[in-house]
Amino acid sequence: MTPGGSRIPRALHAVGRDPRLHVGILLLAGFAVRLAFAAQAPHPGRVDPNHYYNLGRSLAAGRGFVIDYVWQYHHAPDSPTHAIDYWMPLPAVWPALGIFVSGDGLLSALVPSAVLGTLVALLAYGVAAAARQPHAVRMMAAGAVIFFPDLLLQSVRTDSAVSSALFAGGAFLAFHHGRCGRPALLGAAGALAGLAHLSRQDGVLIAPALLLGLLLFRQRGDPWPPRQWVLGGAVAWIGVLLPWIVRNRLILGRAWPSGGGRTLFLRSFIDQFTYGRTLDAEHFLSWGIGNILRNVGSMAGANGRSFAEFLGLPLALLAAVGLVAWIRRRDRHRLSLVTPPLLFLGGLFLFYSVVAPFHSEGGSFRKSALSVVPFLAVAGVGGLVAILRGRAVAGLAVAVIGIWMLVGGRERIRAEFAELRDACDWARAVVSAARSRGDANGDGEVRLMTGDPFLFDSYGVRGIMAPSDDLEMILEAAGRYRIDYVVLPAGRAALDTLGSGRAVDDRLPVAAEGNGFRLLEVAGAGGEIESEA
């Protein structure tokens, strides 16, 4: 064999042993699976993902942060087309970027979510590296995350979860490195926390988690990080938020949308859709202390069960084993790595159980808890290696768990896609019926009141959310926004009897009926409800 020929197998062997190649193959596999699912998606997802998709299309078209529907009335706009005043902006930037690069289309909008979801596995590798684990264990941690069911599902939605998970988790990792000899990364932690905050409003809870972590570390004798870098992290966080704050001041007249604060006083999930009631402390307290306390207990139990289901029994048990092992060994370095994210998780649990409990019904707690999964996965893999006393066997077990997660995630995605196809078929039938009936009020446009204005915006129909008030208030909102038809079912008690046919109202005569829907024409004021025998 020639000298040159002998060098080729050695080079290939060296490449095969390159850790970067292993990581790249895993990430490529994770992205390929996500892309395959995204190519089959019939819709970006109901409600929140649908909103970000609609807003992303608006951004890509050069319209700015503008939507064509009213979904809440905390600061009721004058028209369905208005600047957004509630949700955070960053999750809409990702689908807008995909559409801008690849053209208008659902797959283009979903590709950035697939990329961000894949990168969460890379974050898990980085967390394991920070825990001073060898390459094999780092790969196992990434493998335990790459097909995590909730992460896989969120990667084929245009939602806030993957963006929040990546940036919040990145903030905690950078904070750890900033404390452990690389103080400049405290600035990066602040910037990443700002991006997480621009993804979800509960990102603000990262701040108390980091500060409380610093106090706990100081209590055990650790030195304070250089104060100028701590201040630099705070400045970086504010700097990232500053453009959004300026935009809000210029357009809304206030630094921060106040809708989120008003929803702290909900007495039910649909309270947030009220048109005529004021959501304040008086409204909330009138519910009664007993009801409030029972609801807190109920939501705390629901959040606990939801998190256990979300994490899955294998990962939950292994993470507990790993964390207990670190505590028993007094492994201060690894415990300091996971302490801030665990404090964040505790803050989320308290916030969504006590302060804003009804938001959990929309999945808020689970979405934000994704940022903690890479840290729990590192603890879990460490626990698995300790139990099985060998990396090879542990690696095989992680592979089995990963395949089990992939199969479970695939079934959840298939089930959601089937529901989305049904919803799209239903919405198309409603739109066709409404357009066939035509413009009822003569303003040149067909507008709908519905329980899901996000969905109908995808089909070019402007509209508003059906208020969660009495019929008089619903009609007032319909008149204000020049609504032609009310789409039933809408999930509103005041409309349920009209939708079932148990009552009629000459202000809302039946205009059309189809498979699973009824259109009521908004005929104007006057008239009385007449109950049928």
Side-chain angles (χ1 to χ4, degrees), residues 479-499:
R480 175 177 179 175
Y481 293 103
R482 301 190 63 78
I483 297 302
D484 296 280
Y485 303 103
V486 177
V487 182
L488 301 180
R492 303 292 183 265
L495 295 171
D496 282 348
T497 55
L498 300 178

Side-chain angles (χ1 to χ4, degrees), residues 45-53 87 158-159 200 362 367 454:
R46 297 290 292 272
V47 189
D48 297 30
N50 202 164
H51 169 79
Y52 290 122
Y53 176 66
W87 274 322
T158 51
D159 206 351
R200 293 187 55 79
K367 291 178 186 180
F454 316 96

Side-chain angles (χ1 to χ4, degrees), residues 292-310 348-350 352-354 357 360 365-366:
I292 292 171
L293 293 178
R294 279 190 292 272
N295 184 64
V296 167
S298 174
M299 291 309 299
N303 285 335
R305 291 189 297 273
S306 176
F307 184 72
E309 177 195 356
F310 158 83
L348 289 171
F349 180 81
L350 288 174
Y352 287 117
S353 297
V354 179
S360 285
F365 177 60
R366 287 175 70 135

Side-chain angles (χ1 to χ4, degrees), residues 73 164 192 210 323 343 397 469:
Y73 303 94
S164 172
L192 289 166
L210 297 181
L323 291 171
L343 289 171
D469 301 288

Side-chain angles (χ1 to χ4, degrees), residues 188-275:
L192 289 166
L195 291 171
H197 198 173
L198 285 177
S199 299
R200 293 187 55 79
Q201 292 205 41
D202 56 23
V204 70
L205 297 176
I206 295 173
L210 297 181
L211 290 173
L212 186 55
L214 282 177
L215 291 173
L216 291 174
F217 301 145
R218 180 60 177 168
Q219 185 72 21
R220 73 182 189 186
D222 290 2
W224 285 104
R227 298 193 179 187
Q228 66 270 26
W229 287 112
V230 175
L231 180 61
V235 170
W237 188 331
I238 295 171
V240 169
L241 294 178
L242 190 59
W244 188 242
I245 293 173
V246 171
R247 175 265 181 194
N248 290 336
R249 288 289 302 174
L250 292 174
I251 295 178
L252 306 178
R254 52 191 182 275
W256 208 257
S258 63
R262 291 170 184 262
T263 59
L264 301 182
F265 303 112
L266 299 179
R267 301 193 324 199
S268 68
F269 181 75
I270 65 169
D271 242 5
Q272 63 187 312
F273 307 127
T274 181
Y275 179 78

Side-chain angles (χ1 to χ4, degrees), residues 9-10 29 101 112 156 268 306 336 338 439 466 468 470:
R10 285 201 300 270
V101 171
V156 292
S268 68
S306 176
S336 69
V338 299
D439 175 19
S468 56
D470 59 31

Side-chain angles (χ1 to χ4, degrees), residues 89-99 108-109 112-113 116 159 162-163 167 199:
L90 192 56
V93 172
W94 307 121
L97 182 62
I99 292 169
S108 299
S113 291
L116 293 171
D159 206 351
V162 288
S163 178
F167 293 125
S199 299

